[in-house]
Amino acid sequence: HVQLVESGGGSVQAGGSLKLSCTGFEYINNVVCMAWFRQGQGMEREMVASFILSSAEKVYTDSVKGRFTISHARTRNTLHLQMSDLKPEDADIYTCAASTRNQCELIPRESKIYAYYGQGTQVTVS
């Protein structure tokens, strides 16, 4: 049973920083894309940032550009999300995801492309 596990969530004041981590990718064969999602206002998952392994391309949703950085530590096969200058609207449950479908390179924002999700970690910004 593949399980992605997030860590690093917590409560911070506006303007603060948090670094999220996600492990468990070694149990998934042929990962093409990794990503961070959050639940979003409409209760549908919103891609926050994605990482395409073949090209190391990073894709961000507009609202976090310049504040969040996604990275992949290859030796530990760990996905990170460094979040800075956090705003109250960033508060949400953040979930990491993995896709084994090549289409994720073209549509990394599409949640249905990702078959593997973690349980999520709560980020609170006051």
Side-chain angles (χ1 to χ4, degrees):
H1 177 66
V2 173
Q3 185 174 5
L4 298 176
V5 179
E6 302 92 345
S7 62
S11 181
V12 296
Q13 291 188 336
S17 299
L18 282 173
K19 185 174 184 178
L20 306 182
S21 299
C22 180
T23 59
F25 295 99
E26 62 268 28
Y27 301 111
I28 306 171
N29 291 325
N30 302 318
V31 175
V32 179
C33 300
M34 301 173 172
W36 288 97
F37 282 81
R38 60 190 180 190
Q39 198 64 34
Q41 296 297 318
M43 299 304 291
E44 289 193 13
R45 282 192 175 118
E46 172 193 33
M47 188 216 74
V48 177
S50 68
F51 184 88
I52 300 170
L53 271 70
S54 63
S55 62
E57 181 182 357
K58 303 174 183 181
V59 180
Y60 298 94
T61 192
D62 287 346
S63 63
V64 307
K65 286 180 181 177
R67 300 188 298 121
F68 290 12
T69 302
I70 189 171
S71 62
H72 177 232
R74 294 185 63 182
T75 55
R76 296 187 177 185
N77 208 0
T78 300
L79 187 69
H80 296 291
L81 184 68
Q82 176 67 53
M83 304 186 293
S84 302
D85 189 23
L86 282 160
K87 305 176 186 300
E89 53 264 38
D90 294 318
D92 212 321
I93 297 173
Y94 286 72
T95 306
C96 62
S99 175
T100 59
R101 297 174 63 178
N102 292 330
Q103 294 95 321
C104 70
E105 296 185 348
L106 299 176
I107 47 173
R109 303 174 192 274
E110 176 55 59
S111 62
K112 294 180 176 62
I113 286 291
Y114 298 82
Y116 303 93
Y117 285 90
Q119 293 297 308
T121 185
Q122 179 74 51
V123 171
T124 303
V125 184
S126 58

